[in-house]
Amino acid sequence: MVQLIYRDALLSISQHEQRISLESTHVIDESYRMTIFLRDLLTRMKEHVLTKGFTSKHEEIEFFRTVKPQILGKLIYYNKLYRIETSCPVASGKMHHKYYSGELQHLKHEYREQICNSDFFRYYRSGRTDLDHEYFELGKINFNGGLNSYVFEIDHHFSTYYDYKVSRIIANGLIYSYLLSKVTHDDAEWQTNDKDFFWTDSKNALIELIYALYASESISGGKIGIRKMSIVFQVLFRIKLGDIHHAFHRMKERTGNRTSYLDHLKASLEKYMDKDIY
């Protein structure tokens, strides 16, 4: 039962992330909508657990070690992302870079002080399971360990306290990747040593290519969102694409050929293949 719930939850999250990523014009809107969705999903999951319970201790452990943290971790991540983006003072420049660099340093400090030095973090990262009955079963919280005060605020019918710890580990990993991409994007503005490597076609052509790779799930099995993919290509080719969502919607409304660049690529490759290169 837990495995089925887990697969359904992950599929639902993935589908919403892809749909909202396509529909949203800014990461603020995307993170807000995902926060609302994940909050409601977690509420439904809680109602299910409180009503149905678990069929075994193994199922209970699996839920609090794996299922719930995936939902709560993403919820913490998108909520933090919303706060980061709505607090950003400017859209570009040195202050923009300094802001994201400061957020990244703050996250690293929090990681060193509160997470990586804990016994539980080393236990979880090592893949151990021998103490799962202590960490991920309801009613097993050991207050003698000097736990964070958050333990007094949780619903003890829907949390073992350590499921929240796992959620924070997952969320911090996602936040770190996001902030690193922002800082790297700014650092590359655009300081690559290879000045001969750059995009020479139109911006719309590159956007069409990015969306084609996304739609075909050719990169990371389709698990990478449009926005993250666009950042990689912008850094790689030292080009700013602007609002790719609006550009894509304009492509959808083209009269005649909506995939002109992809058709051009196909024709160019076939022409090249037909050459007598020997």
Side-chain angles (χ1 to χ4, degrees):
M1 178 63 72
V2 167
Q3 284 293 338
L4 181 60
I5 293 173
Y6 179 53
R7 289 195 299 269
D8 289 346
L10 288 186
L11 178 61
S12 179
I13 292 171
S14 177
Q15 289 174 340
H16 273 76
E17 282 181 321
Q18 292 181 19
R19 180 172 61 81
I20 291 174
S21 177
L22 289 171
E23 294 175 354
S24 299
T25 58
H26 195 279
V27 68
I28 291 176
D29 178 62
E30 181 180 341
S31 57
Y32 174 77
R33 292 174 62 182
M34 282 303 302
T35 298
I36 299 301
F37 166 74
L38 289 163
R39 182 200 63 185
D40 293 342
L41 178 61
L42 190 63
T43 298
R44 295 196 300 272
M45 196 70 70
K46 180 178 181 179
E47 292 173 352
H48 176 85
V49 168
L50 295 181
T51 303
K52 304 294 184 179
F54 301 103
T55 60
S56 66
K57 287 298 181 182
H58 173 75
E59 189 176 83
E60 181 179 325
I61 289 172
E62 189 175 2
F63 177 82
F64 287 112
R65 180 181 175 113
T66 306
V67 181
K68 183 186 173 186
Q70 285 293 336
I71 302 171
L72 182 56
K74 281 289 186 78
L75 176 57
I76 295 172
Y77 163 66
Y78 278 111
N79 183 59
K80 178 66 174 179
L81 194 59
Y82 180 81
R83 292 170 58 190
I84 289 173
E85 288 298 327
T86 53
S87 299
C88 186
V90 291
S92 61
K94 291 183 178 180
M95 187 179 293
H96 182 268
H97 181 268
K98 184 177 180 180
Y99 172 76
Y100 286 108
S101 296
E103 289 290 331
L104 185 59
Q105 290 304 314
H106 177 75
L107 183 66
K108 289 179 179 178
H109 176 75
E110 178 183 319
Y111 168 77
R112 287 192 298 266
E113 294 296 319
Q114 301 181 23
I115 298 179
C116 72
N117 291 325
S118 70
D119 291 336
F120 175 75
F121 178 80
R122 289 189 289 271
Y123 170 85
Y124 177 75
R125 281 299 195 201
S126 69
R128 289 170 54 190
T129 59
D130 53 295
L131 297 178
D132 279 4
H133 63 286
E134 296 292 335
Y135 289 132
F136 301 111
E137 285 186 18
L138 293 169
K140 292 289 189 74
I141 298 175
N142 180 9
F143 293 97
N144 291 324
L147 305 178
N148 191 293
S149 296
Y150 169 78
V151 70
F152 302 111
E153 302 175 17
I154 64 175
D155 184 343
H156 292 244
H157 298 289
F158 189 62
S159 179
T160 69
Y161 175 70
Y162 288 97
D163 59 89
Y164 174 75
K165 290 280 191 181
V166 177
S167 301
R168 285 292 302 275
I169 293 171
I170 293 171
N172 281 358
L174 293 170
I175 295 166
Y176 176 80
S177 296
Y178 178 79
L179 291 174
L180 188 62
S181 72
K182 298 293 286 187
V183 172
T184 302
H185 185 278
D186 285 344
D187 283 341
E189 191 136 35
W190 299 76
Q191 298 176 8
T192 179
N193 292 324
D194 191 352
K195 300 298 183 181
D196 295 328
F197 192 78
F198 54 94
W199 186 258
T200 53
D201 215 307
S202 69
K203 291 183 179 181
N204 278 347
L206 182 54
I207 292 171
E208 188 177 323
L209 176 62
I210 291 171
Y211 270 92
L213 292 171
Y214 174 78
S216 63
E217 299 185 352
S218 297
I219 297 178
S220 301
K223 296 179 180 179
I224 304 299
I226 284 290
R227 184 170 289 107
K228 189 174 291 186
M229 281 181 58
S230 72
I231 291 174
V232 172
F233 276 86
Q234 288 178 78
V235 171
L236 177 63
F237 293 121
R238 296 187 288 131
I239 184 174
K240 291 186 177 182
L241 295 177
D243 191 340
I244 66 170
H245 293 292
H246 281 173
F248 178 68
H249 285 298
R250 287 196 297 270
M251 292 178 194
K252 290 166 61 177
E253 297 170 359
R254 285 172 178 169
T255 56
N257 189 356
R258 297 192 298 176
T259 57
S260 57
Y261 180 64
L262 296 181
D263 292 342
H264 167 68
L265 285 181
K266 182 176 182 293
S268 298
L269 180 57
E270 289 180 340
K271 182 178 179 180
Y272 183 78
M273 287 176 172
D274 290 337
K275 287 184 178 178
D276 183 9
I277 60 175
Y278 300 101

